[in-house]
Amino acid sequence: MTEIRIRVNGVTRTLDIEPWVSLLDALRDHLALTGPKKGCDQGACGACTVLADGVRINACLALAVQYADKEITTIEGIAKGEEGTHPMQEAFVRHDGFQCGYCTSGQICSAVAMLTEYAAGMPSAVTPTTERIELTDDEIRERMSGNLCRCGAYNGILDAIRDVATQEAP
């Protein structure tokens, strides 16, 4: 067993785990945070997406020991304390960005990080230049392509992200 300290949703926790335990299993099985879902367990669906120091990762592909002393944010911690829900959560509800809800936590975490990446000027596969990028529907789709929705709620997800991006635009 290996003892690690991990900061999750603003709280530092100590875990005694085997070195091969995934971050997803540590969150779900050891910390009882069931927001991140185990979908494919191969990094292909994005249902397990969490933020590690603000960067989106597939928790099923990460070893928990790799993230000792890092700040992990799950859907349970995406809202800022007493402020209530995050604007992205509200937009998903407003635009019907979910159906069964299984992928929703990963979609929301990914969308929040994606808008941060976009604001920082990070290019995507459809970005033709490194100059200021317009956040078109194709750009959003490409940037969110690592998150699958088996119900097909993509139109609502796109509308929700566009709504929040418009609200946050300078």
Side-chain angles (χ1 to χ4, degrees):
M1 298 290 253
T2 302
E3 184 176 284
I4 64 167
R5 289 172 32 107
I6 189 165
R7 189 163 173 82
V8 181
N9 299 328
V11 178
T12 301
R13 306 284 296 270
T14 301
L15 297 176
D16 196 24
I17 58 173
E18 298 291 351
W20 54 81
V21 171
S22 73
L23 179 58
L24 178 61
D25 289 341
L27 293 169
R28 292 182 59 81
D29 300 341
H30 297 271
L31 298 177
L33 294 169
T34 57
K37 302 294 189 258
K38 187 176 280 196
C40 65
D41 211 20
Q42 298 176 0
C45 74
C48 65
T49 303
V50 297
L51 308 180
D53 291 338
V55 177
R56 57 186 166 164
I57 64 166
N58 290 329
C60 71
L61 296 181
L63 296 176
V65 295
Q66 293 175 283
Y67 291 89
D69 299 318
K70 303 284 186 193
E71 178 66 39
I72 305 300
T73 306
T74 68
I75 191 67
E76 291 91 346
I78 207 88
K80 302 294 186 233
E82 299 297 317
E83 297 174 27
T85 57
H86 188 281
M88 190 64 74
Q89 291 170 307
E90 294 171 6
F92 265 65
V93 171
R94 198 168 42 254
H95 294 283
D96 293 325
F98 57 92
Q99 286 182 23
C100 80
Y102 197 81
C103 72
T104 305
S105 59
Q107 295 275 0
I108 290 172
C109 285
S110 189
V112 167
M114 183 273 294
L115 289 179
T116 301
E117 293 164 7
Y118 170 75
M122 293 177 66
S124 76
V126 297
T127 304
T129 178
T130 56
E131 295 176 18
R132 185 66 183 157
I133 306 157
E134 181 183 352
L135 194 58
T136 63
D137 288 355
D138 284 343
E139 188 73 30
I140 294 170
R141 285 183 191 103
E142 171 59 29
R143 289 172 182 267
M144 291 295 293
S145 64
N147 290 81
L148 303 179
C149 174
R150 289 169 179 87
C151 298
Y154 293 115
N155 290 334
I157 292 168
L158 180 66
D159 291 344
I161 294 169
R162 192 180 323 101
D163 185 0
V164 173
T166 301
Q167 293 173 24
E168 292 180 356

Coordinates of all heavy atoms in Angstrom, one line a residue, residues 39-134:
G39 N -17.2 4.8 -17.6 CA -17.9 4.5 -18.8 C -17.2 3.4 -19.5 O -17.5 2.2 -19.4
C40 N -16.2 3.7 -20.3 CA -15.4 2.7 -21.1 C -14.2 2.2 -20.3 O -13.7 1.1 -20.6 CB -15.0 3.4 -22.4 SG -13.8 4.7 -22.1
D41 N -13.7 2.9 -19.3 CA -12.5 2.6 -18.6 C -11.3 2.4 -19.5 O -10.3 1.7 -19.2 CB -12.7 1.3 -17.8 CG -11.9 1.2 -16.5 OD1 -11.5 2.3 -16.0 OD2 -11.6 0.1 -16.0
Q42 N -11.3 3.1 -20.7 CA -10.2 3.1 -21.6 C -9.9 4.5 -22.1 O -9.2 4.7 -23.1 CB -10.6 2.2 -22.8 CG -10.8 0.8 -22.5 CD -11.3 0.0 -23.6 OE1 -11.5 0.5 -24.8 NE2 -11.5 -1.3 -23.4
G43 N -10.5 5.6 -21.6 CA -10.2 6.9 -22.0 C -10.9 7.4 -23.3 O -10.5 8.4 -23.9
A44 N -11.9 6.6 -23.7 CA -12.5 6.9 -25.0 C -13.8 7.7 -24.9 O -14.2 8.3 -25.9 CB -12.8 5.6 -25.8
C45 N -14.4 7.7 -23.7 CA -15.8 8.3 -23.7 C -15.9 9.6 -22.9 O -16.8 10.4 -23.1 CB -16.8 7.3 -23.1 SG -16.6 7.0 -21.3
G46 N -14.9 9.9 -22.0 CA -14.9 11.1 -21.3 C -15.9 11.2 -20.1 O -15.9 12.3 -19.4
A47 N -16.6 10.2 -19.7 CA -17.5 10.2 -18.6 C -16.8 10.4 -17.3 O -17.4 10.9 -16.3 CB -18.3 8.9 -18.5
C48 N -15.5 10.1 -17.2 CA -14.7 10.2 -16.0 C -13.9 11.5 -16.0 O -13.1 11.7 -15.1 CB -13.7 9.1 -15.9 SG -12.5 9.1 -17.3
T49 N -14.2 12.5 -16.9 CA -13.4 13.7 -16.9 C -13.5 14.5 -15.6 O -14.5 14.7 -15.1 CB -13.8 14.6 -18.1 OG1 -13.8 13.9 -19.3 CG2 -13.0 15.9 -18.2
V50 N -12.3 14.8 -15.1 CA -12.1 15.7 -13.9 C -11.1 16.8 -14.3 O -10.4 16.6 -15.3 CB -11.7 14.9 -12.7 CG1 -12.8 13.9 -12.3 CG2 -10.4 14.3 -12.8
L51 N -10.9 17.7 -13.4 CA -9.9 18.7 -13.6 C -8.7 18.5 -12.6 O -8.9 18.2 -11.5 CB -10.4 20.1 -13.4 CG -11.7 20.5 -14.1 CD1 -12.2 21.9 -13.8 CD2 -11.5 20.3 -15.6
A52 N -7.5 18.5 -13.2 CA -6.3 18.3 -12.3 C -5.5 19.6 -12.5 O -5.0 19.9 -13.6 CB -5.5 17.1 -12.8
D53 N -5.5 20.4 -11.4 CA -4.9 21.7 -11.5 C -5.5 22.5 -12.6 O -4.8 23.3 -13.4 CB -3.3 21.7 -11.6 CG -2.7 21.2 -10.3 OD1 -3.3 21.3 -9.3 OD2 -1.5 20.7 -10.4
G54 N -6.8 22.4 -12.8 CA -7.5 23.1 -13.9 C -7.5 22.6 -15.3 O -8.2 23.1 -16.1
V55 N -6.7 21.5 -15.5 CA -6.6 20.9 -16.8 C -7.5 19.6 -16.8 O -7.4 18.8 -15.9 CB -5.2 20.5 -17.1 CG1 -5.0 19.8 -18.4 CG2 -4.3 21.7 -17.1
R56 N -8.3 19.4 -17.9 CA -9.1 18.2 -17.9 C -8.3 17.0 -18.3 O -7.4 17.0 -19.1 CB -10.3 18.5 -19.0 CG -9.8 18.8 -20.3 CD -11.0 19.1 -21.2 NE -10.5 19.7 -22.5 CZ -11.2 19.9 -23.5 NH1 -12.5 19.4 -23.6 NH2 -10.8 20.5 -24.6
I57 N -8.7 15.9 -17.5 CA -8.0 14.6 -17.7 C -9.1 13.5 -17.6 O -10.1 13.7 -17.1 CB -6.9 14.4 -16.7 CG1 -7.5 14.3 -15.3 CG2 -5.8 15.4 -16.8 CD1 -6.5 13.7 -14.3
N58 N -8.7 12.4 -18.2 CA -9.6 11.2 -18.1 C -9.1 10.5 -16.8 O -8.0 9.9 -16.8 CB -9.5 10.3 -19.3 CG -10.1 10.9 -20.5 OD1 -11.1 11.6 -20.4 ND2 -9.6 10.5 -21.7
A59 N -9.9 10.5 -15.8 CA -9.4 9.9 -14.5 C -9.2 8.4 -14.6 O -8.5 7.9 -13.8 CB -10.5 10.3 -13.4
C60 N -9.9 7.8 -15.5 CA -9.7 6.3 -15.6 C -8.3 5.9 -16.2 O -7.9 4.8 -15.9 CB -10.8 5.7 -16.6 SG -10.6 6.1 -18.3
L61 N -7.7 6.9 -16.8 CA -6.3 6.6 -17.4 C -5.2 7.0 -16.5 O -4.0 6.8 -16.8 CB -6.2 7.2 -18.7 CG -7.1 6.7 -19.8 CD1 -6.8 7.5 -21.1 CD2 -6.9 5.2 -20.0
A62 N -5.5 7.8 -15.4 CA -4.5 8.3 -14.5 C -4.4 7.5 -13.2 O -5.4 7.1 -12.7 CB -4.9 9.8 -14.2
L63 N -3.2 7.3 -12.8 CA -3.0 6.6 -11.5 C -3.1 7.7 -10.4 O -2.6 8.8 -10.5 CB -1.6 6.0 -11.4 CG -1.3 4.9 -12.4 CD1 0.1 4.4 -12.3 CD2 -2.3 3.7 -12.2
A64 N -3.8 7.3 -9.4 CA -4.0 8.3 -8.3 C -2.7 8.8 -7.7 O -2.5 10.0 -7.4 CB -4.8 7.6 -7.1
V65 N -1.6 7.9 -7.6 CA -0.3 8.3 -7.1 C 0.3 9.4 -7.9 O 1.1 10.2 -7.4 CB 0.6 7.2 -6.9 CG1 0.1 6.2 -5.9 CG2 0.9 6.5 -8.2
Q66 N 0.0 9.5 -9.2 CA 0.5 10.6 -10.1 C 0.0 12.0 -9.7 O 0.6 13.0 -10.0 CB 0.1 10.4 -11.5 CG 0.7 9.2 -12.2 CD 0.1 9.0 -13.6 OE1 -1.0 8.5 -13.7 NE2 0.9 9.4 -14.6
Y67 N -1.1 12.0 -9.0 CA -1.8 13.2 -8.7 C -1.7 13.6 -7.2 O -2.5 14.5 -6.7 CB -3.3 13.2 -9.2 CG -3.2 13.2 -10.7 CD1 -3.1 12.1 -11.4 CD2 -3.1 14.4 -11.4 CE1 -3.0 12.1 -12.8 CE2 -3.0 14.5 -12.7 CZ -2.9 13.3 -13.5 OH -2.8 13.3 -14.8
A68 N -0.8 13.0 -6.5 CA -0.6 13.3 -5.1 C -0.2 14.8 -5.1 O 0.6 15.3 -5.9 CB 0.5 12.5 -4.5
D69 N -0.7 15.6 -4.1 CA -0.4 17.0 -3.9 C -0.9 17.9 -5.1 O -0.5 19.0 -5.2 CB 1.1 17.2 -3.6 CG 1.5 16.5 -2.4 OD1 0.7 16.6 -1.4 OD2 2.6 15.9 -2.4
K70 N -1.8 17.4 -5.9 CA -2.4 18.1 -7.0 C -3.8 18.5 -6.6 O -4.4 17.9 -5.7 CB -2.5 17.4 -8.3 CG -1.2 16.8 -8.8 CD -0.4 17.9 -9.4 CE 0.9 17.3 -10.1 NZ 1.8 18.3 -10.4
E71 N -4.4 19.5 -7.2 CA -5.8 19.9 -6.9 C -6.7 19.3 -7.9 O -6.6 19.5 -9.1 CB -5.9 21.5 -7.0 CG -7.3 21.9 -6.8 CD -7.9 21.7 -5.4 OE1 -7.1 21.9 -4.4 OE2 -9.1 21.4 -5.3
I72 N -7.5 18.4 -7.5 CA -8.5 17.7 -8.3 C -9.8 18.3 -8.1 O -10.3 18.4 -7.0 CB -8.5 16.1 -8.0 CG1 -7.1 15.5 -8.1 CG2 -9.5 15.4 -8.9 CD1 -6.5 15.6 -9.4
T73 N -10.5 18.6 -9.2 CA -11.9 19.1 -9.1 C -12.8 18.2 -9.9 O -12.6 17.9 -11.0 CB -12.0 20.5 -9.7 OG1 -11.0 21.4 -9.0 CG2 -13.4 21.1 -9.5
T74 N -13.8 17.7 -9.1 CA -14.8 16.8 -9.8 C -16.1 17.6 -9.9 O -16.1 18.8 -9.5 CB -15.1 15.6 -8.9 OG1 -15.8 16.1 -7.7 CG2 -13.9 14.8 -8.5
I75 N -17.1 17.1 -10.5 CA -18.4 17.8 -10.7 C -18.9 18.2 -9.3 O -19.5 19.3 -9.2 CB -19.4 16.9 -11.5 CG1 -20.6 17.8 -11.9 CG2 -19.8 15.7 -10.7 CD1 -20.3 18.8 -12.9
E76 N -18.6 17.5 -8.3 CA -19.1 17.8 -7.0 C -18.5 19.1 -6.5 O -19.1 19.8 -5.6 CB -18.8 16.7 -5.9 CG -19.6 15.5 -6.1 CD -18.9 14.4 -7.0 OE1 -18.0 14.8 -7.7 OE2 -19.4 13.3 -7.0
G77 N -17.3 19.5 -7.0 CA -16.6 20.7 -6.6 C -16.6 21.8 -7.6 O -15.9 22.8 -7.4
I78 N -17.3 21.6 -8.7 CA -17.2 22.6 -9.8 C -17.9 23.9 -9.4 O -17.4 25.0 -9.8 CB -17.8 22.0 -11.1 CG1 -17.2 22.7 -12.3 CG2 -19.3 22.1 -11.2 CD1 -15.9 22.0 -12.8
A79 N -18.9 23.9 -8.6 CA -19.5 25.1 -8.1 C -18.6 25.7 -7.0 O -18.0 24.9 -6.3 CB -20.9 24.8 -7.6
K80 N -18.7 26.9 -6.8 CA -17.8 27.6 -5.8 C -18.6 27.8 -4.5 O -19.2 28.9 -4.4 CB -17.3 28.9 -6.4 CG -16.5 28.8 -7.6 CD -15.2 28.0 -7.4 CE -14.3 28.0 -8.6 NZ -13.9 26.7 -9.1
G81 N -18.6 26.9 -3.6 CA -19.1 27.0 -2.3 C -20.6 27.5 -2.3 O -21.5 26.9 -2.9
E82 N -20.7 28.6 -1.6 CA -22.1 29.1 -1.3 C -22.7 29.8 -2.6 O -23.8 30.2 -2.5 CB -22.0 30.2 -0.2 CG -21.5 29.6 1.1 CD -22.5 28.5 1.7 OE1 -23.7 28.7 1.6 OE2 -22.0 27.5 2.2
E83 N -21.9 30.0 -3.6 CA -22.4 30.7 -4.8 C -23.4 29.8 -5.5 O -24.1 30.3 -6.5 CB -21.2 31.0 -5.7 CG -20.2 32.0 -5.1 CD -19.0 32.2 -6.0 OE1 -19.1 32.0 -7.2 OE2 -18.0 32.5 -5.5
G84 N -23.6 28.6 -5.2 CA -24.6 27.7 -5.9 C -24.0 27.0 -7.0 O -22.8 26.7 -7.1
T85 N -24.8 26.8 -8.0 CA -24.3 26.0 -9.2 C -23.4 26.8 -10.1 O -23.5 28.1 -10.1 CB -25.5 25.5 -10.0 OG1 -26.3 26.6 -10.4 CG2 -26.3 24.5 -9.2
H86 N -22.6 26.2 -10.8 CA -21.7 26.8 -11.8 C -22.6 27.2 -13.0 O -23.5 26.5 -13.4 CB -20.6 25.8 -12.2 CG -19.6 26.4 -13.1 ND1 -19.7 26.6 -14.4 CD2 -18.3 26.7 -12.8 CE1 -18.6 27.1 -14.9 NE2 -17.7 27.2 -13.9
P87 N -22.2 28.3 -13.7 CA -23.0 28.7 -14.9 C -23.1 27.6 -15.9 O -24.1 27.6 -16.6 CB -22.2 29.9 -15.4 CG -21.5 30.5 -14.2 CD -21.2 29.3 -13.3
M88 N -22.1 26.8 -16.0 CA -22.2 25.7 -17.0 C -23.3 24.7 -16.6 O -24.0 24.2 -17.5 CB -20.8 25.0 -17.2 CG -20.8 24.0 -18.4 SD -21.0 24.8 -20.0 CE -19.4 25.6 -20.2
Q89 N -23.4 24.4 -15.3 CA -24.4 23.5 -14.8 C -25.8 24.1 -15.2 O -26.7 23.4 -15.6 CB -24.3 23.2 -13.3 CG -23.0 22.4 -13.0 CD -22.8 22.4 -11.5 OE1 -22.7 23.5 -10.8 NE2 -22.6 21.2 -10.9
E90 N -26.0 25.4 -14.9 CA -27.2 26.0 -15.1 C -27.6 26.0 -16.6 O -28.7 25.8 -17.0 CB -27.2 27.5 -14.6 CG -27.1 27.6 -13.1 CD -26.8 29.0 -12.6 OE1 -26.8 29.9 -13.5 OE2 -26.6 29.1 -11.4
A91 N -26.6 26.2 -17.5 CA -26.8 26.2 -18.9 C -27.2 24.8 -19.4 O -28.0 24.7 -20.3 CB -25.5 26.7 -19.6
F92 N -26.6 23.8 -18.9 CA -26.9 22.4 -19.3 C -28.4 22.2 -19.0 O -29.1 21.6 -19.8 CB -26.0 21.4 -18.6 CG -24.9 21.0 -19.4 CD1 -23.9 21.9 -19.7 CD2 -24.7 19.7 -19.9 CE1 -22.8 21.5 -20.5 CE2 -23.7 19.2 -20.6 CZ -22.7 20.2 -20.9
V93 N -28.9 22.7 -17.8 CA -30.3 22.5 -17.5 C -31.2 23.3 -18.4 O -32.1 22.8 -19.0 CB -30.5 22.9 -16.0 CG1 -32.0 22.9 -15.7 CG2 -29.8 21.9 -15.1
R94 N -30.8 24.6 -18.6 CA -31.6 25.5 -19.4 C -31.7 25.0 -20.9 O -32.7 25.2 -21.5 CB -30.9 26.9 -19.4 CG -31.7 28.0 -19.8 CD -31.1 29.4 -19.4 NE -29.7 29.6 -19.7 CZ -28.8 29.6 -18.7 NH1 -29.1 29.5 -17.4 NH2 -27.5 29.8 -19.0
H95 N -30.6 24.4 -21.4 CA -30.6 24.0 -22.8 C -30.8 22.5 -23.0 O -30.6 22.0 -24.1 CB -29.3 24.4 -23.5 CG -29.2 25.9 -23.5 ND1 -29.8 26.7 -24.5 CD2 -28.5 26.8 -22.8 CE1 -29.5 27.9 -24.3 NE2 -28.7 28.0 -23.3
D96 N -31.3 21.8 -22.0 CA -31.5 20.3 -22.1 C -30.2 19.6 -22.6 O -30.3 18.8 -23.5 CB -32.7 20.0 -22.9 CG -34.0 20.4 -22.3 OD1 -34.1 20.4 -21.1 OD2 -34.9 20.8 -23.1
G97 N -29.1 19.9 -22.0 CA -27.8 19.4 -22.4 C -27.6 18.0 -21.8 O -26.4 17.6 -21.7
F98 N -28.6 17.3 -21.5 CA -28.5 15.9 -21.0 C -29.8 15.2 -21.2 O -30.8 15.8 -21.4 CB -28.1 15.9 -19.5 CG -29.1 16.7 -18.6 CD1 -30.2 16.0 -18.0 CD2 -29.0 18.0 -18.4 CE1 -31.1 16.7 -17.3 CE2 -30.0 18.7 -17.7 CZ -31.0 18.0 -17.1
Q99 N -29.7 13.9 -21.2 CA -30.9 13.0 -21.2 C -30.8 12.1 -20.0 O -31.3 12.3 -19.0 CB -31.0 12.3 -22.5 CG -31.5 13.3 -23.6 CD -31.7 12.7 -24.9 OE1 -32.0 11.5 -25.1 NE2 -31.7 13.5 -26.0
C100 N -30.0 11.0 -20.2 CA -29.9 10.0 -19.1 C -29.1 10.6 -18.0 O -29.2 10.2 -16.8 CB -29.4 8.7 -19.5 SG -27.6 8.6 -19.8
G101 N -28.1 11.5 -18.3 CA -27.3 12.2 -17.3 C -26.0 11.4 -17.0 O -25.1 12.0 -16.3
Y102 N -25.8 10.3 -17.6 CA -24.5 9.5 -17.2 C -23.3 10.3 -17.6 O -22.3 10.3 -16.8 CB -24.6 8.1 -17.9 CG -23.6 7.2 -17.3 CD1 -23.9 6.5 -16.1 CD2 -22.3 7.0 -17.8 CE1 -23.0 5.6 -15.5 CE2 -21.4 6.1 -17.2 CZ -21.8 5.4 -16.1 OH -20.9 4.6 -15.5
C103 N -23.3 10.9 -18.8 CA -22.1 11.6 -19.2 C -22.0 13.0 -18.8 O -21.0 13.7 -18.9 CB -22.0 11.6 -20.8 SG -23.2 12.6 -21.6
T104 N -23.0 13.5 -18.1 CA -23.2 15.0 -17.9 C -22.0 15.5 -17.0 O -21.5 16.6 -17.3 CB -24.5 15.3 -17.2 OG1 -25.6 14.8 -18.1 CG2 -24.7 16.8 -17.1
S105 N -21.6 14.8 -16.0 CA -20.6 15.4 -15.1 C -19.3 15.5 -15.9 O -18.6 16.5 -15.8 CB -20.4 14.5 -13.9 OG -20.0 13.2 -14.2
G106 N -18.9 14.5 -16.7 CA -17.7 14.6 -17.5 C -17.9 15.7 -18.6 O -16.9 16.4 -18.9
Q107 N -19.0 15.8 -19.2 CA -19.3 16.9 -20.2 C -19.1 18.3 -19.6 O -18.5 19.1 -20.2 CB -20.7 16.8 -20.7 CG -21.0 15.5 -21.5 CD -20.6 15.6 -23.0 OE1 -20.1 16.6 -23.5 NE2 -20.8 14.5 -23.7
I108 N -19.7 18.5 -18.4 CA -19.6 19.8 -17.7 C -18.1 20.1 -17.4 O -17.6 21.2 -17.6 CB -20.5 19.9 -16.6 CG1 -22.0 19.9 -17.1 CG2 -20.2 21.1 -15.7 CD1 -23.0 19.8 -16.0
C109 N -17.4 19.2 -16.7 CA -16.0 19.4 -16.4 C -15.2 19.7 -17.6 O -14.4 20.6 -17.6 CB -15.5 18.2 -15.6 SG -16.0 18.1 -13.9
S110 N -15.4 19.0 -18.7 CA -14.7 19.2 -19.9 C -15.0 20.5 -20.5 O -14.1 21.2 -21.0 CB -15.0 18.1 -20.9 OG -14.1 18.1 -22.0
A111 N -16.3 20.9 -20.5 CA -16.7 22.2 -21.1 C -16.1 23.4 -20.3 O -15.6 24.3 -20.9 CB -18.2 22.3 -21.1
V112 N -16.1 23.3 -19.0 CA -15.5 24.4 -18.2 C -14.0 24.5 -18.6 O -13.5 25.6 -18.8 CB -15.7 24.1 -16.7 CG1 -14.8 25.0 -15.8 CG2 -17.1 24.2 -16.3
A113 N -13.3 23.4 -18.6 CA -11.8 23.4 -18.9 C -11.6 23.9 -20.4 O -10.7 24.6 -20.7 CB -11.2 22.1 -18.7
M114 N -12.5 23.4 -21.3 CA -12.4 23.8 -22.7 C -12.5 25.3 -22.9 O -11.7 25.9 -23.7 CB -13.4 23.0 -23.5 CG -13.4 23.3 -25.0 SD -14.3 24.7 -25.6 CE -15.9 24.3 -25.3
L115 N -13.4 25.9 -22.2 CA -13.5 27.4 -22.3 C -12.3 28.1 -21.8 O -11.9 29.1 -22.3 CB -14.8 27.9 -21.7 CG -16.1 27.5 -22.4 CD1 -17.3 28.0 -21.6 CD2 -16.1 28.0 -23.8
T116 N -11.7 27.5 -20.8 CA -10.4 28.1 -20.2 C -9.3 27.9 -21.3 O -8.5 28.9 -21.5 CB -10.0 27.4 -18.9 OG1 -11.1 27.6 -18.0 CG2 -8.7 27.9 -18.3
E117 N -9.2 26.8 -21.9 CA -8.2 26.5 -22.9 C -8.4 27.5 -24.1 O -7.5 28.1 -24.6 CB -8.3 25.1 -23.5 CG -7.9 24.0 -22.5 CD -8.4 22.6 -22.9 OE1 -8.9 22.5 -24.0 OE2 -8.3 21.7 -22.0
Y118 N -9.7 27.7 -24.5 CA -10.0 28.6 -25.6 C -9.6 30.0 -25.2 O -9.0 30.7 -26.0 CB -11.5 28.5 -25.9 CG -12.0 29.6 -26.8 CD1 -11.7 29.5 -28.2 CD2 -12.7 30.7 -26.4 CE1 -12.1 30.5 -29.0 CE2 -13.1 31.7 -27.2 CZ -12.8 31.6 -28.6 OH -13.2 32.6 -29.4
A119 N -9.9 30.4 -24.0 CA -9.6 31.8 -23.6 C -8.1 32.0 -23.6 O -7.6 33.1 -23.8 CB -10.2 32.1 -22.2
A120 N -7.3 31.0 -23.3 CA -5.9 31.1 -23.3 C -5.3 31.0 -24.7 O -4.0 31.1 -24.9 CB -5.3 29.9 -22.4
G121 N -6.1 30.8 -25.7 CA -5.6 30.8 -27.1 C -5.1 29.5 -27.6 O -4.4 29.4 -28.6
M122 N -5.4 28.4 -26.9 CA -4.9 27.1 -27.3 C -5.6 26.7 -28.6 O -6.9 26.8 -28.6 CB -5.1 26.1 -26.2 CG -4.3 26.3 -25.0 SD -4.6 25.1 -23.7 CE -4.0 23.6 -24.4
P123 N -4.9 26.3 -29.6 CA -5.5 25.8 -30.8 C -6.2 24.5 -30.7 O -5.9 23.7 -29.8 CB -4.4 25.8 -31.8 CG -3.2 25.5 -31.0 CD -3.5 26.2 -29.7
S124 N -7.0 24.1 -31.7 CA -7.6 22.8 -31.8 C -7.3 22.3 -33.2 O -6.7 22.9 -34.0 CB -9.1 22.8 -31.6 OG -9.7 23.3 -32.7
A125 N -7.8 21.1 -33.5 CA -7.5 20.4 -34.8 C -8.2 21.2 -35.9 O -7.7 21.1 -37.1 CB -8.0 19.0 -34.8
V126 N -9.2 22.0 -35.6 CA -9.9 22.7 -36.7 C -9.5 24.2 -36.7 O -9.9 24.9 -37.6 CB -11.4 22.6 -36.6 CG1 -11.9 21.2 -36.8 CG2 -11.9 23.2 -35.3
T127 N -8.5 24.6 -35.9 CA -8.1 26.0 -35.8 C -7.1 26.2 -36.9 O -6.0 25.6 -37.0 CB -7.4 26.2 -34.5 OG1 -8.3 25.9 -33.4 CG2 -7.0 27.7 -34.4
P128 N -7.4 27.1 -37.9 CA -6.5 27.4 -39.0 C -5.3 28.3 -38.7 O -4.4 28.3 -39.4 CB -7.4 28.1 -40.0 CG -8.5 28.8 -39.2 CD -8.6 27.9 -38.0
T129 N -5.4 28.9 -37.5 CA -4.3 29.9 -37.2 C -4.1 30.0 -35.7 O -5.0 29.5 -35.0 CB -4.7 31.3 -37.8 OG1 -3.7 32.2 -37.4 CG2 -6.0 31.8 -37.2
T130 N -3.1 30.6 -35.3 CA -2.9 30.8 -33.8 C -3.4 32.2 -33.4 O -3.3 32.6 -32.3 CB -1.4 30.6 -33.4 OG1 -0.6 31.5 -34.2 CG2 -1.0 29.2 -33.6
E131 N -3.9 33.0 -34.4 CA -4.5 34.2 -34.1 C -5.8 34.0 -33.3 O -6.2 32.9 -33.2 CB -4.7 35.0 -35.3 CG -3.5 35.4 -36.0 CD -3.7 36.2 -37.3 OE1 -4.8 36.7 -37.5 OE2 -2.8 36.2 -38.2
R132 N -6.4 35.1 -32.9 CA -7.7 34.9 -32.1 C -8.7 34.0 -32.9 O -9.0 34.2 -34.0 CB -8.3 36.3 -31.9 CG -9.6 36.3 -31.1 CD -9.2 35.9 -29.6 NE -10.4 35.8 -28.8 CZ -10.5 35.1 -27.8 NH1 -9.5 34.3 -27.4 NH2 -11.6 35.1 -27.1
I133 N -9.1 33.0 -32.2 CA -10.0 32.0 -32.8 C -11.4 32.3 -32.5 O -11.8 32.6 -31.4 CB -9.6 30.6 -32.2 CG1 -8.1 30.3 -32.3 CG2 -10.5 29.5 -32.8 CD1 -7.6 29.3 -31.3
E134 N -12.3 32.2 -33.5 CA -13.7 32.3 -33.3 C -14.2 31.0 -32.7 O -13.9 29.9 -33.3 CB -14.4 32.7 -34.6 CG -15.9 32.9 -34.4 CD -16.6 33.2 -35.7 OE1 -16.0 33.4 -36.7 OE2 -17.9 33.2 -35.7

